[in-house]
């Protein structure tokens, strides 16, 4: 298996969604599926031993034996051999993967794979343990016995509101530094809330002397199914501090004070378009970007409180994007996005478009006066970009766009773009032509595909008459004549390892005859519990008169979890051309002693003529009310030292408690949930008079597991902002077992700064044992296989079937009065009835109800009707 072949499928059993992200590999139409994960999803009794390459267990109501021994090449189901070839499976250290076509031979299911939608639909050929368990749960909840009647998920609506109480993340740092005349002071504040039925995110940050220098305010809304802005049917819309969209050639995404929207599907892009990745970067944090598990880039200094990875190329298919944030004291958080990259084509007769307009590089709320001498070119000038994509046929998609772009304070140009996307010989094909209002023109061609299993993207852009392409615009005095690029992504098998490789080459040709060639190569792999990354960058510059210079530099890094206690990270920077040299290395070690206390140690060494060594140390105390950190560093060669303190905390409004409270940071930029468990005496689903809070309910899914307090409440933070989030509820430790609960999985959509209120009503229930008997010769004889039901006014009946001794146990029966009845169809067929009516009551507090008995009598079967006598027509 190759890492670049990773595909995340959603898996459903009929109408029941089992998971949104099952990791598979191989061919999209017949992927390799992890058997251990699938068995857990379906509750199958299978023991998957990857080290022994063996699978054993039993399946089906008949408990058929399953034996698979890949070491000997044998596979049997119910004693019958099943033919497997080596291409049908793959073994990893933790699981055994089988192709979908092979699994259908081994399990009582059919598998339908939709490679385009990344969906796997399972159909059971016989009742599976999961379906049987759900049927029992549905019966217990008086929802009937159809396992497909309801998914075991409690869905909580979280609609956008006119206004919600905001949440804040606050960070402050202060310190002393021998290189500065006085103490340093920095702060940043991030805020999230719902405002005017949109998600509002705000930021305010200072410089090193504590002066407010940056303010951002964005109103944004996303809807997966569209429906925004009325007839426009947009999927996303934003206002305030926004980023305008880009065009295939000419215009790139740019910050502006304005408005933008798009009707394109979320988390989808074209292989010919590069994407921009931005997010919040707190004080002292570093960001690393991984694309398909390859380290691509890093950032140490925030840009207006954010990280920015611009013009990031992706490969065709599913791209797993991980942005890892490293804090100054060993903190590590990871943000994961899955982006589906297509060939740029859309279905026939489908129209999508995007538009943005605003003042370029201007914040919504500027601080101080604008200095145009130091501001980026074109700051404050009007910028507008719009583009459209239309599926002309199933094979040809047209793209077009227009823009007004201010390159300087006096040079604003109109731009038009027209192109097409199609497929030629199995390769996705791009062609774009552009023309600007100053007479400049450009032509771009591109090809993308996977020849020999290697993801390839080749593009060439030609420019005439001073056309400016913002994607490669660096020096207005050097107009670009041509830009060519080639990107390759593949994998190299080395013994038991599969090492992913990524390489790119870019060539710039300028009108003055100068050129610049830039080549990059990167790889990351795991060996002996270490994540190893290596990268090389080559650059060759030539002037118009032929003079040339070249540089080849590299970076090597590794990280490991030593002795399951220390998180170690090391980097080494070196140069190869024009001469070999070691530039610098650094090593950090982080130890988490407890959930509250951690230690950070580090040493950095710059090499060469100005060699210096810097020692670092720091400690962090984490509490439910925030994080307090102390840090220091010292460079003996220069006698430079610094010491500082940093405080980070969140302020969030608890809608259940009805007041603000302190918590750890993250509530202003991520979603939170206020969970309340209670015994719902009147069954209205709302905590009100007479209801009782339920402590000791465990809720998982946030930054840390939380347990409800004596008021039945728990506040969960750090839920991120995914389209769908899940919480898992555990009731094993509660004091009263006689309660009926909602589903143990809670599903909702968190947003930055929003606190979703989750009521979790537990209904008191009872448990009763019935015995159905027949009196024969003065003795009570239990009757087996008698279908009975418990009937409560206004509720569906609860069905049961007696065991061999005539008993049947009913658990989790809702409170109220019941009467016991025989199943009408069975009673009529067997001519039986109850000798006396049977009724009972589950008290308001629930609990165990005394055993009940029901005596059955059988009626004599009526004699068959006498057929009418035949009449002799002759008589």
């Amino acid at each position: 298996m190759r890492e670049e072949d990773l595909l995340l499928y959603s898996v459903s059993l009929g109408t029941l969604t089992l998971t949104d992200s099952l990791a598979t590999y191989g061919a999209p139409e017949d992927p390799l599926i992890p058997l251990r994960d699938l068995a857990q999803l379906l509750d199958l009794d299978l023991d998957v031993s990857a080290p022994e390459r063996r699978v054993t267990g039993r399946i089906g109501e008949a408990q058929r034996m399953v034996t698979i021994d890949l070491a000997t090449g044998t596979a049997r189901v119910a004693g019958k051999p099943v033919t497997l070839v080596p291409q049908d499976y793959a073994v990893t250290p933790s699981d055994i993967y089988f192709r979908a076509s092979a699994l259908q031979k081994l399990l009582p299911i059919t598998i339908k794979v939709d490679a385009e939608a990344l969906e796997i639909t399972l159909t059971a050929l016989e009742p599976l343990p999961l379906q049987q368990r759900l049927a029992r749960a549905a019966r217990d909840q008086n929802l009937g016995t159809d396992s497909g009647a309801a998914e075991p998920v409690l869905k909580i609506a979280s609609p956008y509101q006119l206004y919600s109480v905001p949440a804040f993340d606050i960070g402050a740092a202060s310190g002393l530094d021998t290189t500065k005349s006085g103490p340093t002071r920095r702060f940043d504040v991030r805020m999230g809330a719902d405002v005017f039925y949109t998600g509002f995110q705000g930021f305010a940050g200072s410089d090193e002397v504590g002066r407010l220098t940056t303010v951002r305010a964005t109103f944004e809304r996303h809807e997966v199914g569209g429906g925004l802005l009325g007839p426009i049917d947009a999927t996303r819309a934003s206002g305030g501090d926004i980023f305008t969209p880009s065009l295939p050639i000419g215009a790139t995404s740019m910050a502006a004070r304005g408005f933008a929207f798009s009707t394109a599907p979320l988390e989808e892009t074209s292989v010919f378009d590069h994407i921009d990745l931005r997010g919040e970067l707190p004080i002292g944090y570093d960001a690393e970007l991984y694309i398909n598990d390859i380290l691509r880039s890093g950032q140490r200094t925030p840009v207006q409180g954010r990280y920015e990875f611009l013009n990031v190329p992706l490969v065709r298919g599913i791209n797993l994007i991980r942005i890892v944030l490293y804090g100054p004291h060993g903190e590590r958080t990871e943000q994961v996005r899955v982006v589906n990259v297509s060939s740029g084509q859309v279905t026939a007769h489908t129209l999508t478009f995007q538009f943005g307009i605003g003042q370029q590089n201007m914040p919504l709320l500027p601080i101080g006066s604008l200095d145009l001498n130091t501001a980026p070119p074109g700051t404050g000038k009007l910028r507008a970009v719009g583009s459209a994509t239309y599926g002309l046929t199933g094979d040809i998609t047209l793209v077009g766009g227009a823009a007004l772009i201010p390159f300087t304070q006096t040079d604003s140009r109109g731009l038009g773009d027209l192109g097409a996307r199609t497929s030629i010989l199995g390769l996705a094909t791009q062609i774009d032509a552009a023309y600007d209002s100053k007479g400049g023109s450009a032509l771009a061609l591109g090809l993308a595909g996977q020849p020999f299993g290697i993801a390839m993207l080749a593009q060439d852009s030609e420019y005439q008459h001073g056309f400016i392409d913002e994607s490669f615009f660096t020096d207005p005095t050097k107009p670009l004549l041509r830009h060519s690029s080639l990107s390759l992504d593949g994998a190299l098998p080395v013994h038991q390892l599969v090492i992913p490789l990524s390489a790119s080459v870019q060539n710039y040709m300028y009108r003055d005859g100068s050129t610049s060639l830039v080549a990059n190569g990167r790889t990351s792999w795991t060996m002996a519990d270490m994540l190893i990354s290596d990268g090389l960058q080559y650059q060759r510059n030539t002037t118009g008169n032929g003079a040339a210079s070249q540089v080849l530099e590299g970076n090597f890094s590794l990280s490991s979890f030593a002795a399951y206690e220390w998180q170690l990270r090391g980097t080494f920077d070196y140069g190869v051309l024009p001469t070999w040299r070691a530039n610098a290395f650094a090593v950090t070690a982080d130890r988490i002693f407890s959930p509250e206390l951690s230690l950070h140690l580090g040493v950095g060494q710059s090499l060469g003529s100005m060699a210096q060594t810097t020692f670092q140390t720091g400690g962090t105390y984490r509490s439910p009310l925030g994080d307090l950190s102390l840090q220091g560093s010292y460079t003996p060669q220069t006698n430079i030292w610094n010491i500082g303190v940093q405080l980070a905390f969140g302020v969030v409004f608890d809608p259940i408690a009805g007041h603000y409270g302190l918590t750890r940071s993250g509530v202003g930029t991520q979603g939170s949930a206020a969970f309340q468990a209670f015994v719902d005496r009147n069954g209205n689903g709302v905590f009100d008079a007479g209801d009782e809070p339920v402590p000791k309910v465990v809720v998982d899914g946030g930054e840390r597991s939380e347990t409800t307090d004596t008021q039945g409440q728990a506040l969960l933070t750090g839920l991120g902002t995914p389209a769908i989030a899940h919480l898992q509820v555990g009731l094993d430790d509660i004091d009263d077992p006689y309660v009926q609960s909602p589903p143990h999985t809670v599903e909702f959509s968190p947003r930055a700064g929003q606190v979703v209120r989750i009521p979790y009503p537990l209904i008191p229930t009872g448990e009763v044992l019935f015995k159905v008997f027949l009196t024969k010769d003065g003795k009570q004889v239990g009757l087996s296989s008698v279908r009975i039901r418990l009937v409560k006014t206004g509720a569906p009946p609860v069905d049961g079937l007696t065991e061999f001794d005539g008993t049947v146990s009913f658990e989790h029966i809702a409170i109220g009065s019941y009467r016991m009845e025989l199943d009408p169809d069975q009673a009529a067929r067997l001519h039986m009835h109850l000798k006396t009516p049977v009724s009972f009551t589950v008290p308001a507090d629930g609990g165990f109800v005394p055993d009940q008995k029901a005596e059955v009598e059988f009626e004599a079967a009526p004699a068959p009707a006498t057929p009418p006598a035949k009449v002799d027509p002759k008589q």
Side-chain angles (χ1 to χ4, degrees):
M1 297 188 302
R2 303 182 306 174
E3 290 295 328
E4 65 270 22
D5 292 337
L6 171 68
L7 294 172
L8 298 179
Y9 278 87
S10 66
V11 182
S12 59
L13 177 61
T15 60
L16 176 64
T17 300
L18 302 179
T19 178
D20 294 324
S21 55
L22 181 69
T24 70
Y25 294 85
E29 63 276 4
D30 191 15
L32 288 163
I33 298 175
L35 182 56
R36 183 195 303 274
D37 291 346
L38 185 64
Q40 291 176 348
L41 290 174
L42 298 176
D43 286 351
L44 299 178
D45 182 19
L46 294 177
D47 181 18
V48 180
S49 177
E52 297 178 358
R53 303 169 64 89
R54 184 179 301 164
V55 180
T56 58
R58 297 180 180 272
I59 58 174
E61 294 181 331
Q63 292 291 286
R64 300 185 299 277
M65 177 66 73
V66 176
T67 304
I68 304 172
D69 190 350
L70 300 180
T72 60
T74 60
R76 293 186 180 86
V77 177
K80 298 180 180 179
V82 177
T83 301
L84 295 176
V85 297
Q87 292 79 13
D88 287 337
Y89 57 84
V91 182
T92 70
S94 60
D95 209 335
I96 301 179
Y97 289 70
F98 290 89
R99 294 197 182 278
S101 55
L103 280 177
Q104 296 181 102
K105 305 176 185 177
L106 303 170
L107 305 178
I109 57 175
T110 61
I111 303 176
K112 179 182 178 182
V113 179
D114 188 336
E116 291 293 329
L118 293 177
E119 294 177 349
I120 294 177
T121 302
L122 309 177
T123 301
L125 302 180
E126 63 183 26
L128 299 176
L130 172 66
Q131 294 173 309
Q132 295 170 334
R133 177 169 60 83
L134 294 180
R136 292 192 299 270
R139 182 193 65 205
D140 291 343
Q141 298 176 20
N142 291 339
L143 297 176
T145 58
D146 182 7
S147 65
E151 296 185 10
V153 173
L154 175 61
K155 296 186 177 182
I156 302 296
S158 54
Y160 286 91
Q161 304 174 39
L162 176 63
Y163 173 77
S164 69
V165 181
F168 302 88
D169 288 331
I170 300 174
S174 181
L176 296 175
D177 191 326
T178 54
T179 63
K180 296 179 173 60
S181 59
T184 60
R185 297 181 296 273
R186 291 186 59 189
F187 71 85
D188 58 30
V189 179
R190 292 172 169 84
M191 186 186 89
D194 280 3
V195 179
F196 298 122
Y197 301 103
T198 67
F200 172 79
Q201 296 186 60
F203 170 81
S206 75
D207 58 16
E208 289 192 348
V209 296
R211 289 192 301 258
L212 180 65
T213 57
T214 304
V215 174
R216 289 189 278 110
T218 302
F219 302 83
E220 190 172 30
R221 181 162 176 173
H222 294 174
E223 292 290 349
V224 175
L228 299 178
L229 305 179
I232 294 179
D233 195 28
T235 55
R236 64 168 69 90
S238 59
D241 288 302
I242 57 113
F243 290 92
T244 58
S246 61
L247 293 179
I249 185 171
T252 189
S253 178
M254 188 76 69
R257 174 171 62 187
F259 170 76
F261 68 86
S262 172
T263 66
L266 300 176
E267 300 297 347
E268 287 192 15
T269 187
S270 166
V271 68
F272 300 111
D273 297 333
H274 295 180
I275 68 171
D276 297 331
L277 301 170
R278 300 179 176 93
E280 301 297 327
L281 188 62
I283 295 174
Y285 276 68
D286 300 340
E288 289 184 347
L289 170 65
Y290 291 82
I291 304 291
N292 297 323
D293 290 328
I294 297 178
L295 177 63
R296 292 293 184 90
S297 184
Q299 180 177 330
R300 295 180 180 273
T301 304
V303 179
Q304 295 186 344
R306 290 181 293 222
Y307 62 78
E308 288 188 340
F309 299 110
L310 306 180
N311 294 320
V312 178
L314 301 177
V315 300
R316 189 177 180 184
I318 295 298
N319 287 255
L320 183 65
I321 300 174
R322 293 191 299 119
I323 297 174
V324 183
L325 303 182
Y326 295 98
H329 312 293
E331 303 93 332
R332 184 184 187 277
T333 60
E334 187 170 308
Q335 304 167 8
V336 179
R337 290 177 57 186
V338 178
V339 178
N340 185 16
V341 177
S342 67
S343 61
Q345 298 168 261
V346 298
T347 56
H349 312 302
T350 297
L351 174 66
T352 65
F353 50 93
Q354 51 186 348
F355 176 77
I357 186 171
Q359 284 182 279
Q360 182 167 296
N361 286 322
M362 282 291 292
L364 180 64
L365 302 172
I367 302 299
S369 59
L370 177 64
D371 186 355
L372 295 179
N373 294 322
T374 59
T379 295
K381 306 297 287 185
L382 181 65
R383 179 185 183 90
V385 181
S387 65
T389 303
Y390 178 72
L392 184 65
T393 67
D395 298 322
I396 300 176
T397 293
L398 301 180
V399 298
L404 175 65
I405 303 175
F407 292 102
T408 66
Q409 296 301 123
T410 59
D411 183 8
S412 291
R413 303 187 184 187
L415 183 149
D417 172 87
L418 184 64
R421 305 290 182 267
T422 186
S423 179
I424 299 177
L425 299 178
L427 296 176
T429 305
Q430 165 206 18
I431 180 170
D432 284 289
Y435 186 83
D436 68 26
S437 59
K438 296 295 181 70
S441 61
L443 179 67
L445 301 174
L447 293 173
Q450 288 190 324
F452 310 106
I454 299 175
M456 178 272 296
L457 171 62
Q459 291 179 292
D460 180 78
S461 301
E462 306 284 338
Y463 306 100
Q464 294 290 332
H465 309 298
F467 186 94
I468 297 177
D469 190 342
E470 285 187 313
S471 298
F472 315 111
F473 178 63
T474 56
D475 187 348
T477 65
K478 294 178 61 175
L480 192 61
L481 183 65
R482 170 183 296 167
H483 175 265
S484 303
S485 65
L486 175 65
S487 298
L488 300 173
D489 289 86
L492 178 66
V494 179
H495 299 292
Q496 300 296 322
L497 295 176
V498 177
I499 301 177
L501 299 172
S502 177
S504 67
V505 179
Q506 298 188 70
N507 187 44
Y508 301 82
M509 296 181 60
Y510 298 95
R511 189 164 298 280
D512 63 1
S514 61
T515 64
S516 180
L517 177 68
V518 179
N520 291 278
R522 301 204 68 89
T523 182
S524 298
W525 72 95
T526 301
M527 177 184 294
D529 296 327
M530 292 187 298
L531 176 62
I532 303 172
S533 299
D534 195 14
L536 289 171
Q537 178 172 321
Y538 173 79
Q539 184 167 351
R540 175 183 173 86
N541 297 320
T542 61
T543 62
N545 58 16
S549 63
Q550 59 183 352
V551 176
L552 176 60
E553 296 181 328
N555 173 271
F556 179 82
S557 66
L558 59 85
S559 62
S560 178
F561 199 58
Y564 301 98
E565 295 180 344
W566 290 90
Q567 176 70 50
L568 304 178
R569 295 177 65 209
T571 61
F572 175 58
D573 298 330
Y574 56 93
V576 180
L577 294 175
T579 59
W580 162 259
R581 65 192 183 279
N583 294 331
F585 72 86
V587 177
T588 62
D590 297 282
R591 169 75 182 273
I592 298 178
F593 294 98
S594 68
E596 294 79 24
L597 190 62
S598 64
L599 174 67
H600 171 76
L601 301 173
V603 59
Q605 177 72 53
S606 62
L607 304 172
S609 59
M610 300 294 290
Q612 294 181 355
T613 305
T614 300
F615 299 95
Q616 297 177 343
T617 185
T620 300
Y621 174 71
R622 299 178 176 87
S623 77
L625 304 182
D627 299 342
L628 178 64
S629 303
L630 297 175
Q631 60 185 13
S633 67
Y634 177 64
T635 304
Q637 290 84 357
T638 59
N639 199 31
I640 293 176
W641 58 266
N642 68 67
I643 186 171
V645 60
Q646 182 174 329
L647 178 65
F649 61 94
V651 181
V652 64
F653 184 83
D654 188 334
I656 298 177
H659 58 72
Y660 269 103
L662 296 180
T663 183
R664 301 189 64 189
S665 60
V667 294
T669 57
Q670 304 182 53
S672 304
F675 183 90
Q676 185 176 35
F678 58 94
V679 176
D680 190 10
R681 294 295 181 186
N682 55 13
N684 63 356
V686 178
F687 183 72
D688 48 24
D691 293 342
E692 302 169 7
V694 179
K696 302 180 184 179
V697 177
V698 179
V699 189
D700 288 314
E703 186 178 30
R704 65 170 79 184
S705 176
E706 299 289 349
T707 303
T708 56
D709 57 19
T710 56
Q711 300 302 313
Q713 301 172 13
L715 182 65
L716 293 99
T717 61
L719 300 177
T721 56
I724 296 177
H726 293 96
L727 300 178
Q728 299 296 325
V729 181
L731 303 176
D732 294 340
D733 298 330
I734 65 174
D735 296 329
D736 185 2
Y738 294 106
V739 289
Q740 174 185 327
S741 72
H744 289 198
T745 299
V746 182
E747 177 182 293
F748 62 101
S749 298
R751 292 191 298 278
Q754 183 197 42
V755 182
V756 178
R757 187 167 183 169
I758 302 177
Y760 199 77
L762 303 172
I763 301 174
T765 62
E767 181 177 337
V768 62
L769 179 70
F770 262 88
K771 181 173 183 178
V772 180
F773 67 93
L774 173 71
T775 300
K776 185 176 182 181
D777 298 331
K779 297 182 179 180
Q780 295 181 357
V781 180
L783 296 178
S784 64
S785 301
V786 177
R787 294 200 294 269
I788 67 174
R789 60 184 188 177
L790 308 181
V791 180
K792 176 185 174 183
T793 303
V798 182
D799 297 320
L801 183 70
T802 61
E803 302 287 346
F804 70 96
D805 59 352
T807 61
V808 57
S809 177
F810 293 91
E811 299 177 350
H812 299 301
I813 308 244
I815 61 175
S817 298
Y818 293 83
R819 68 178 184 276
M820 177 269 197
E821 295 181 352
L822 298 176
D823 178 77
D825 293 336
Q826 187 184 53
R829 187 172 63 254
L830 300 179
H831 308 289
M832 64 180 180
H833 64 271
L834 292 174
K835 184 176 181 180
T836 58
V838 178
S839 61
F840 66 95
T841 299
V842 178
D845 292 335
F848 194 79
V849 177
D851 294 351
Q852 304 290 312
K853 290 186 176 183
E855 185 176 359
V856 170
E857 291 183 332
F858 287 88
E859 306 166 359
T866 303
K870 295 183 179 180
V871 179
D872 188 348
K874 296 181 180 180
Q875 292 181 351

